Amino acid sequence: MENEISGGTFHGPVFQAGSFRRDINFAAPHENVEADELEFRKEFMSRQHESWKEEKAARQKKVAERRAEADKKRVEEQVGCLFLFLFLTFTVTAFVLIYFFHNWLGLASAALAYACLKGLMSD
């Protein structure tokens, strides 16, 4: 369909008006659709809805897996920081006790520092 309207040529449905006094309905005219076509559309949309549900579930599962992985990594980092802090604390304590006081508490602190270092390296 081609229409001539002031200002140019337009292809497709065209409407030109100055003012309106009643409601305007832009709905397309109803098609005569056969029962087979309606059944096909119903089945197609049903399958499409199932597909969308599966995709949504897969996305939610992936998000949950990423969140769990991030939480695990965060906990591992916190444990590593704790072992590092304890390692440094026991190392300094061992150095001070062994160097200045020459007693067994320094050796115990050194053993604890070594245990913390092993824990740090295992993470």
Side-chain angles (χ1 to χ4, degrees):
M1 173 192 311
E2 292 187 23
N3 297 305
E4 290 291 327
I5 296 182
S6 58
T9 302
F10 301 88
H11 304 280
V14 178
F15 182 78
Q16 183 177 17
S19 62
F20 302 99
R21 295 176 194 219
R22 303 236 179 207
D23 293 339
I24 301 174
N25 185 355
F26 289 104
H30 295 285
E31 301 175 16
N32 292 333
V33 182
E34 296 180 12
D36 292 341
E37 179 69 19
L38 289 175
E39 186 62 32
F40 171 78
R41 289 179 184 181
K42 181 180 175 184
E43 181 66 26
F44 177 79
M45 289 309 295
S46 175
R47 289 182 182 176
Q48 195 64 35
H49 282 261
E50 288 300 319
S51 174
W52 291 335
K53 286 179 186 177
E54 290 171 2
E55 289 174 4
K56 184 178 179 182
R59 282 193 308 270
Q60 289 174 342
K61 182 180 177 184
K62 190 179 285 188
V63 166
E65 288 172 353
R66 277 192 242 133
R67 185 176 295 131
E69 185 67 31
D71 289 345
K72 181 181 175 185
K73 185 176 180 180
R74 183 177 44 81
V75 168
E76 288 175 353
E77 288 173 354
Q78 289 174 345
V79 168
C81 288
L82 176 65
F83 275 120
L84 181 62
F85 171 76
L86 292 174
F87 168 72
L88 293 174
T89 302
F90 288 129
T91 302
V92 170
T93 304
F95 174 76
V96 169
L97 290 175
I98 291 173
Y99 187 77
F100 291 110
F101 300 107
H102 306 289
N103 61 17
W104 62 272
L105 290 174
L107 295 175
S109 294
L112 289 173
Y114 176 72
C116 290
L117 181 63
K118 280 183 67 175
L120 184 63
M121 292 301 167
S122 68
D123 290 340

